[in-house]
RNA sequence: GGUGGCUUAGCUCAGCGGGAGAGCGCCUGCCUUACAAGCAGGAUGUCGUAGGUUCAAUCCCUACAGCCACCACCA
């Protein structure tokens, strides 16, 4: 390979596509079942099938790909299972929009034709996001790609529905649900976003019917934010203990404008301190009123239709939009003398999470999942540690939600989705739930009609960890890969998705779908705002890949933040990442340029200090990176690798190698080359999970490369390479080098000019520095000489002599006083021994072992081991000091 | 109303019981035969406030303040 052809700047565009194609074509992503190997599996959170990649996806997938690539190199049989979601409301809305542009609507087309259009839409845009995921470098098993509405997943959906139905865990009921007047469907509680909104509180006076009771005022005053709903009022409620209204309970009042007589009832729900302490009750249009209505057996009067326009039962208001009606009602109430006053108020108003339309609570017949029996095992699983959230605080959030969970409304008045597998008999009215369409009803009638509604999108994604592995068939994949190893997702969908996968996994597989849930934050814009279409502040990952490369994007997203925390998109850091890739590129160029005639097996001299030092450092890095990955600290892992490459390999080792490469000793030259290559190769392997493309490109250029770095064994920590002595010596040599460099600038010695240096040191240091004198000479442009002991009045010597530009007399700060240093170490050792005794005592204490959770015991053990290691290091250090 | 998070160098953020750090920016000097997307050197911090625990606290505990997020049925 001619290195002259390797350009001095790294160009991602030249290599990314090439390698991705290579990997995919060679089948490196594919994971067949192999009982001889340990499985490691992640199911990808399925993005919207017709969506486009955004930064959230980029972060999510960068994390997953890093974990997957790392485990794959560790020798696990690694399956990253990709797929897409049909995204009911979102996709249907998009297609409806495009129809509207043609002057069409879904109702004009009819259900079948409309669905054809959606499928065509899916065909057209369905490949876009998966192509974009490839550009990120995602090493998923595309041969196993799934879609929530493919045959297998649909089968699983029907199976789950029918089984839950048969267990009585799915029921159909008239209930008040969140109606989106724009999307024309019910949505579940978590799909409603509450926003603080400025509104008005209208105080209205309802006159008493007949003669006012003794002591009464002749009317009752209620407060409402939605005056148009008075048309559906059926009662006025007060708190049972409220003295002000006690005499009125049981009497009736007249509903203004309508004239209906309403009973005054007592119910604990009313807060006497709010408004007037009297509440108008509208069971068909408010969830609380609905409950009150049920308790008191009140009628439910609907006053609005699907568009949230007033219905035909509202007389003069019929046909008016709800807000238009509000204005009219207020005017009419004022004219009639019923309006007492209007107050400004800010209150939280529910909006549809898709279209931001204000939700109208509405009464309708819907399907629900009974949550209590499903939530209990899911709660227990988290309490018992069968599912662990990373970071841990999300466990509480999850538990909190699970414990207060309400029944899940799963029916949607949409067409795009899994149609509810229930058929109604025209003859007897019987409902039949079935996996496949039944021929006839139990009564014998063939007049069956399927429920028109479809299921909530999250119903099918909730089955994702097992439906994608073949369930309900007991496939080899299911047995082998379930439960999966970890779930990686954003904290915004813990409720929507994670919780549902957990309880459905427990219900149908008897096991949690994953032992760990790794939660990451949102990617915010550079100013810390959420990226959104309406703000137009989104950054397109594909643009970034094109300008800076996928590796840089991944590096930027993975560094400098911690699990669960939001991350700001930051162009400076992106450039930093690109610069780092370039640094890596050039360091590699340097190595490759110096390999002319190199053969891996050639004879070398025994390692010298510099080699021992870099190998020790590399070994430490391997250990620390691996440990960080095991703790899901990806940012820390990549930072460690970064610091090793920049701070040690590039800044020092390469510089140390230069004179050796150009020198006369062939054995030493061979040694330097060998170590340069060995460490570079290992570093590329460590970095590969984070920056797959550039590492593959360089790795392939190294002598003895295999088919792919993807399948190279993950670097192992090698006790043979551990060499604290070399580290200690190099620390001293580096310190001296830095001090000389500093003094050179202080006294303005021109860069190329050599200086004579006189260094005072103790015996131990003298030995070390003499060993390192060549290093100091070349890296500090100095001619070092050493003297025993501290030079007198060192600073003055520096000034006086350096002014001439020839000799620098150098004191070594701090390290000179060996006795002091020894004392310090001994003191620390004593403290460590103390701590260790305490920890060991704890670990020997049976009461502690019995009571403490396993995690705590493990932590204590870890601490003990850590202290032992520290102690050992200190002992070595002490020995070095003589 | 409830819960959680954040507050560390000019900016963006790591760290987290015994040395206060990185990147960018800034200052000085360098195109030194891998890299100016670079090299060498440098300046910069009462680690939000007040208490407490500890031999030792930026890190643990308590309270407070400011910002942010989530949850909640305020009519």
């Amino acid at each position: 390979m001619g290195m002259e052809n390797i350009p001095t700047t790294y160009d991602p565009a030249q290599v990314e596509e090439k390698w991705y194609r290579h990997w995919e074509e060679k089948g490196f992503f594919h994971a067949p079942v192999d009982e001889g190997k340990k499985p490691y599996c992640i199911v990808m959170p399925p993005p919207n099938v017709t969506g486009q990649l955004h930064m959230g996806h980029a972060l999510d997938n960068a994390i997953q790909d890093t974990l997957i690539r790392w485990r794959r190199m560790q020798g696990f049989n690694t399956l990253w299972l990709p797929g897409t979601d049909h995204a009911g409301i979102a996709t249907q809305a998009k297609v409806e929009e495009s129809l509207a542009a043609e002057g069409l609507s879904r109702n004009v087309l009819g259900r079948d034709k409309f669905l054809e259009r959606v499928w065509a839409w899916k065909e057209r845009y369905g490949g876009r996001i998966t192509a974009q995921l490839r550009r990120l470098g995602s090493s998923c098993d595309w041969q196993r790609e799934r879609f929530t509405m493919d045959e297998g997943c649909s089968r699983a959906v029907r199976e789950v529905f029918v089984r839950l139905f048969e267990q009585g865990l799915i029921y159909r009921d008239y209930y008040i649900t969140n109606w989106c007047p724009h999307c024309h469907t019910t949505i579940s509680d978590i799909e409603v976003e509450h926003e603080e909104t400025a509104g008005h509180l209208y105080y209205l006076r309802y006159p008493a019917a007949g003669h006012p009771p003794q002591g009464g005022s002749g009317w009752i005053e209620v407060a409402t934010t939605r005056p148009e709903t008075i048309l559906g009022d059926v009662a006025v409620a007060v708190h049972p203990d409220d003295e002000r209204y006690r005499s009125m309970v049981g009497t009736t009042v007249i509903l203004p404008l309508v004239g209906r007589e309403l009973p005054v009832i007592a119910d604990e729900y009313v807060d006497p301190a709010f408004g007037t302490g009297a509440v108008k009750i509208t069971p068909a249009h408010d969830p609380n009123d609905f409950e009150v209505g049920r308790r008191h057996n009140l009628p439910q009067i609907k006053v609005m239709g699907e568009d949230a326009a007033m219905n035909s039962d509202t007389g003069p208001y019929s046909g008016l939009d709800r807000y238009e009606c509000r204005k009219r009602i207020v005017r009419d109430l004022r004219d009639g003398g019923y309006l007492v006053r209007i107050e400004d108020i800010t209150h939280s108003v529910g909006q549809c999470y898709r279209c931001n339309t204000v939700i109208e609570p509405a009464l309708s017949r819907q399907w629900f999942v009974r949550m209590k029996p499903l939530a209990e095992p899911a709660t227990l699983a988290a309490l018992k540690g069968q599912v662990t959230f990373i970071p841990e605080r999300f466990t509480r959030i999850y538990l909190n939600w699970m414990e207060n969970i309400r029944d899940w409304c799963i029916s949607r008045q949409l067409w795009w989705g899994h149609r509810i597998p229930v058929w109604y008999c025209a003859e007897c009215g019987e409902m039949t739930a079935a996996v496949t369409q039944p021929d006839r009803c139990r009564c014998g009638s063939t007049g069956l009609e399927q429920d028109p509604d479809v299921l909530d999108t999250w119903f099918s994604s909730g089955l994702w960890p097992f439906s994608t592995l073949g369930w309900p068939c007991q496939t080899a994949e299911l047995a082998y890969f379930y439960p999966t190893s970890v779930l990686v997702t954003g904290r915004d969908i813990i409720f929507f998705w994670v919780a549902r996968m957990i309880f459905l996994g427990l219900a149908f597989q008897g096991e949690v779908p994953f032992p760990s849930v790794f939660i990451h934050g949102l990617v915010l814009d550079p100013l810390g705002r959420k990226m959104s279409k309406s703000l137009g502040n989104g950054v397109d990952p594909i643009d970034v890949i094109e300008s800076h490369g996928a590796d840089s994007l991944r590096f930027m997203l993975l560094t400098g933040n911690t699990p669960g925390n939001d991350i700001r998109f930051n162009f400076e850091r992106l450039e930093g990442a690109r610069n780092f890739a370039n640094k890596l590129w050039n360091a590699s160029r340097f190595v490759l340029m110096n390999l002319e005639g190199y053969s891996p097996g050639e004879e070398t001299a025994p390692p010298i200090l510099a080699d021992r030092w870099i190998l020790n450092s590399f070994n430490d890095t391997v250990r620390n990176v691996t440990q960080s990955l095991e703790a899901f600290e990806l940012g820390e892992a990549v930072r460690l690798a970064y610091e090793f490459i920049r701070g040690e390999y590039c800044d020092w080792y390469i510089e140390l190698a230069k004179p050796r490469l150009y020198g006369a000793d062939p054995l030493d030259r061979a040694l330097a080359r060998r170590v340069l290559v060995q460490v570079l190769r290992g570093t590329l392997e460590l970095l590969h999970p984070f920056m797959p493309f550039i590492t593959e490109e360089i790795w392939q250029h190294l002598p003895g490369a295999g088919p792919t770095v993807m399948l190279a064994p993950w670097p192992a920590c090698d006790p043979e390479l551990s060499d604290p002595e070399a580290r200690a010596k190099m620390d001293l040599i580096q310190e001296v080098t830095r001090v000389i460099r500093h003094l050179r600038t202080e006294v303005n010695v021109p860069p190329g000019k050599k200086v004579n240096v006189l260094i005072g040191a103790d015996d131990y240091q003298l030995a070390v520095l003499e060993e390192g004198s060549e290093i100091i000479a070349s890296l500090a442009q100095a001619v070092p000489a050493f003297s025993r002991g501290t030079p007198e009045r060192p600073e003055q010597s520096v000034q006086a002599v350096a002014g001439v530009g020839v000799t620098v007399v150098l004191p070594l700060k701090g390290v000179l006083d060996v006795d002091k240093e020894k004392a310090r170490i001994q003191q620390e050792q004593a403290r460590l021994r103390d701590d260790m005794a305490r920890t060991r005592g704890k670990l020997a204490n049976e009461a502690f072992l019995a009571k403490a959770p396993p995690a705590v015991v493990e932590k204590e053990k870890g601490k003990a081991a850590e202290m032992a290691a520290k102690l050992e290091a200190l002992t070595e250090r002490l020995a070095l000091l003589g």
Side-chain angles (χ1 to χ4, degrees):
Chain A
M1 101 218 69
M3 32 280 4
E4 310 77 41
N5 325 337
I6 303 180
T8 61
T9 48
Y10 171 61
D11 181 6
Q14 294 285 314
V15 313
E16 294 186 352
E17 202 203 328
K18 170 183 77 178
W19 287 118
Y20 198 89
R21 203 173 35 233
H22 176 74
W23 296 328
E24 193 173 358
E25 278 172 4
K26 295 279 181 182
F28 296 149
F29 303 156
H30 185 51
V33 170
D34 178 352
E35 294 294 344
K37 287 168 83 178
K38 276 172 77 176
Y40 185 88
C41 176
I42 297 179
V43 290
M44 177 189 290
N48 179 343
V49 64
T50 64
Q52 289 198 65
L53 198 74
H54 60 242
M55 277 302 164
H57 295 126
L59 172 62
D60 196 49
N61 287 281
I63 293 170
Q64 291 173 70
D65 194 44
T66 299
L67 292 173
I68 282 284
R69 285 179 183 271
W70 164 54
R71 291 296 193 183
R72 189 185 287 120
M73 290 174 76
Q74 279 193 325
F76 286 85
N77 187 19
T78 312
L79 169 60
W80 185 14
L81 202 156
T84 50
D85 191 277
H86 66 281
I89 292 192
T91 308
Q92 172 156 337
K94 268 191 229 164
V95 176
E96 286 194 75
E97 254 169 55
S98 95
L99 284 179
E102 297 173 40
L104 285 167
S105 78
R106 68 163 157 147
N107 289 312
V108 170
L109 277 183
R111 187 164 190 146
D112 291 343
K113 281 265 183 292
F114 177 74
L115 284 177
E116 275 174 31
R117 292 290 291 254
V118 187
W119 280 105
W121 183 271
K122 186 237 167 200
E123 285 316 307
R124 182 158 165 210
Y125 295 110
R128 184 171 55 183
I129 194 142
T130 52
Q132 293 175 323
L133 285 168
R134 285 174 165 88
R135 296 206 55 188
L136 252 188
S138 312
S139 64
C140 28
D141 187 350
W142 294 109
Q143 295 177 44
R144 296 187 192 273
E145 182 183 347
R146 299 299 298 269
F147 173 52
T148 48
M149 274 177 63
D150 67 26
E151 215 180 302
C153 289
S154 302
R155 169 79 208 280
V157 164
R158 292 193 302 270
E159 188 74 33
V160 164
F161 185 97
V162 170
R163 288 200 203 173
L164 289 173
F165 180 85
E166 283 166 358
Q167 293 166 35
L169 293 176
I170 283 186
Y171 63 92
R172 190 178 187 222
D173 196 8
Y174 280 102
Y175 205 81
I176 194 136
T177 53
N178 312 293
W179 180 265
C180 175
H182 178 261
C183 299
H184 275 240
T185 179
T186 280
I187 57 179
S188 68
D189 293 338
I190 48 174
E191 286 167 310
V192 179
E193 285 176 353
H194 294 271
E195 195 168 330
E196 288 294 314
T197 312
H200 303 290
L201 189 59
Y202 302 85
Y203 287 80
L204 311 176
R205 182 174 288 176
Y206 290 13
H211 297 292
Q214 217 177 2
S217 49
W219 64 77
I220 198 163
E221 210 176 294
V222 300
T224 179
T225 53
R226 295 188 298 154
E228 67 280 11
T229 62
I230 71 162
L231 301 172
D233 283 4
V234 297
V236 170
V238 298
H239 194 275
D241 300 336
D242 195 334
E243 295 295 339
R244 293 173 294 176
Y245 300 111
R246 180 155 286 171
S247 65
M248 296 197 70
V249 173
T251 65
T252 57
V253 293
I254 303 293
L255 180 59
L257 308 183
V258 180
R260 205 157 53 224
E261 237 179 88
L262 310 179
V264 178
I265 59 172
D267 194 287
E268 303 257 330
Y269 149 69
V270 181
D271 171 9
F274 188 90
T276 63
V279 190
K280 61 191 246 1
I281 298 298
T282 322
H285 290 281
D286 182 278
N288 295 306
D289 294 8
F290 176 82
E291 298 292 345
V292 173
R294 275 206 168 170
R295 284 199 284 276
H296 296 266
N297 253 322
L298 299 169
Q300 300 159 334
I301 300 175
K302 288 174 80 161
V303 297
M304 286 180 216
E306 294 193 348
D307 291 321
M310 307 314 287
N311 69 16
S312 55
D313 296 337
T314 57
Y317 305 104
S318 134
L320 290 178
D321 169 77
R322 52 186 165 166
Y323 298 121
E324 191 53 35
C325 177
R326 180 175 299 174
K327 281 186 206 155
R328 291 275 277 278
I329 292 253
V330 169
R331 194 190 66 198
D332 293 349
L333 286 167
R334 179 179 288 131
D335 292 350
Y338 301 110
L339 180 66
V340 181
R341 65 178 192 279
I342 302 175
E343 273 180 10
D344 288 334
I345 183 180
T346 56
H347 57 144
S348 106
V349 173
Q351 305 181 349
C352 173
Y353 82 127
R354 294 252 38 113
C355 65
N356 293 329
T357 305
V358 173
I359 289 301
E360 199 59 44
L363 192 62
S364 58
R365 201 176 198 189
Q366 303 289 345
W367 286 96
F368 296 88
V369 174
R370 207 180 295 284
M371 284 308 305
K372 272 262 144 42
L374 291 168
E376 262 170 43
T379 304
L380 271 179
L383 287 174
K384 286 194 290 193
Q386 290 163 358
V387 195
T388 317
F389 285 78
I390 299 131
E392 217 209 318
R393 68 185 129 100
F394 290 101
T395 309
R396 182 189 283 270
I397 293 179
Y398 164 86
L399 284 173
N400 202 14
W401 189 69
M402 273 297 183
E403 280 157 11
N404 299 308
I405 200 162
R406 302 171 60 180
D407 284 355
W408 175 16
C409 177
I410 50 170
S411 46
R412 296 289 180 276
Q413 288 64 56
L414 303 171
W415 288 347
W416 175 242
H418 300 96
R419 196 155 166 186
I420 289 177
V422 170
W423 284 261
Y424 305 106
C425 176
E427 299 282 324
C428 71
E430 176 85 16
M431 292 192 288
T432 309
V435 170
T436 53
Q437 172 149 18
D439 298 331
R440 54 188 63 243
C441 176
R442 220 178 302 163
C443 73
S445 161
T446 54
L448 289 176
E449 201 158 329
Q450 188 171 4
D451 193 297
D453 289 353
V454 301
L455 288 163
D456 181 4
T457 292
W458 300 100
F459 192 92
S460 54
S461 30
L463 317 179
W464 195 240
F466 52 93
S467 66
T468 50
L469 291 170
W471 192 91
C473 298
Q474 292 305 312
T475 57
E477 281 80 3
L478 188 61
Y480 183 71
F481 286 115
Y482 192 96
T484 64
S485 306
V486 58
L487 179 86
V488 178
T489 196
R491 58 145 209 263
D492 48 333
I493 54 175
I494 294 177
F495 305 141
F496 281 103
W497 193 45
V498 181
R500 280 148 181 184
M501 282 192 286
I502 292 173
F503 68 69
L504 288 166
L506 282 163
F508 290 91
Q509 279 291 111
E511 230 180 322
V512 292
F514 26 72
S516 308
V517 183
F518 181 67
I519 301 286
H520 61 251
L522 271 39
V523 185
L524 307 174
D525 81 353
L527 298 175
R529 300 169 304 179
K530 223 163 148 172
M531 288 190 182
S532 78
K533 271 188 202 133
S534 52
L535 273 176
N537 59 345
V539 182
D540 185 342
I542 298 300
D543 290 347
V544 173
I545 288 172
E546 267 158 21
S547 60
H548 290 75
D551 290 328
S552 298
L553 173 60
R554 293 168 60 123
F555 185 93
M556 192 234 93
L557 291 172
L558 292 172
T559 50
N561 87 318
T562 36
N565 285 353
D566 290 346
I567 177 171
R568 271 187 214 210
F569 189 90
N570 182 317
F571 286 99
E572 285 78 45
R573 288 203 20 243
L574 180 68
E575 264 180 45
R578 192 262 323 262
N579 294 353
F580 173 57
N582 201 49
K583 184 78 179 171
L584 187 60
W585 182 253
N586 278 297
S588 307
R589 269 181 66 234
F590 172 80
V591 174
L592 292 170
M593 285 189 320
N594 286 288
L595 289 188
E596 193 103 3
Y598 170 85
S599 75
E602 77 189 301
E603 192 192 346
T604 65
I608 63 168
L609 179 61
D611 307 313
R612 288 164 50 204
W613 166 76
I614 195 71
L615 288 168
N616 170 73
S617 267
F618 172 68
N619 198 48
D620 282 350
T621 306
V622 168
R623 186 181 55 245
N624 295 337
V625 168
T626 308
Q627 276 174 4
S628 296
L629 282 171
E630 262 150 19
F632 291 102
E633 288 161 0
L634 309 206
E636 181 67 3
V638 72
R639 206 207 85 226
L640 288 163
Y642 171 92
E643 286 188 345
F644 171 73
I645 296 169
R646 278 204 97 114
E648 311 202 79
Y649 189 75
C650 291
D651 288 354
W652 293 94
Y653 190 72
I654 284 186
E655 295 307 320
L656 294 173
K658 279 178 182 171
R660 301 167 66 194
L661 291 169
Y662 311 141
D665 180 348
L667 285 183
D668 187 50
R669 182 167 61 233
L671 173 64
R673 284 165 148 184
R674 201 201 78 207
V675 176
L676 276 170
V677 171
Q678 178 184 345
V679 175
L680 177 60
R681 191 198 317 275
T683 307
L684 291 168
E685 286 160 0
L686 279 185
L687 226 34
H688 178 255
F690 307 94
M691 310 178 84
F693 293 110
I694 188 173
T695 49
E696 179 78 284
E697 174 70 15
I698 299 169
W699 191 88
Q700 289 286 343
H701 279 86
L702 294 181
T708 173
V709 65
M710 272 185 67
L711 300 178
W714 182 249
C717 189
D718 180 359
E720 294 278 298
L721 297 181
S722 181
D723 196 338
E725 190 197 348
R727 153 66 73 186
K729 288 180 170 176
M730 272 299 291
D731 277 350
L732 183 60
I733 293 164
Q734 288 177 322
E735 167 77 16
V736 170
T737 307
R738 270 190 282 256
V739 173
I740 298 173
R741 283 170 172 173
H742 174 67
L743 285 165
R744 289 178 61 103
T745 33
E746 291 267 293
V747 297
N748 289 321
V749 181
K753 192 168 168 76
K754 281 198 186 299
V755 287
N756 296 317
V757 194
L758 179 61
I759 301 162
D762 63 46
D763 286 343
Y764 164 66
Q765 291 169 336
L766 277 181
V768 172
L769 293 176
E770 256 162 59
E771 188 178 356
S773 67
E774 279 180 43
I775 296 176
I776 296 168
S778 91
L779 296 192
Q781 292 289 309
V783 182
F786 306 101
S787 85
R788 190 191 180 116
T790 316
E792 300 234 336
R793 296 168 66 198
E795 263 127 282
Q796 216 177 5
S797 333
V798 171
Q799 299 270 327
V801 193
V804 191
V806 194
T807 304
V808 177
V809 181
L810 188 66
L812 284 170
K813 45 176 183 187
V815 254
L816 269 181
D817 196 335
V818 179
D819 290 335
K820 217 170 158 187
E821 177 71 0
K822 275 186 179 170
R824 196 191 64 80
I825 292 175
Q826 279 161 349
Q827 199 184 341
E828 197 170 339
Q829 281 181 323
R831 209 187 54 229
L832 267 173
R833 289 205 185 95
D834 228 49
D835 281 2
M836 270 172 76
R838 217 171 305 145
T839 308
R840 288 206 173 128
K842 238 184 190 174
L843 287 170
N845 183 339
E846 292 190 13
F848 167 76
L849 290 176
K851 232 170 54 188
V856 171
V857 177
E858 281 311 305
K859 206 172 159 189
E860 289 294 322
K861 282 185 186 165
K863 259 162 81 178
E866 206 177 295
M867 285 188 281
K870 251 188 200 168
L871 198 59
E872 197 180 325
L874 285 177
T875 311
E876 274 175 41
R877 183 80 200 280
L878 203 59
L880 285 174
L881 285 171

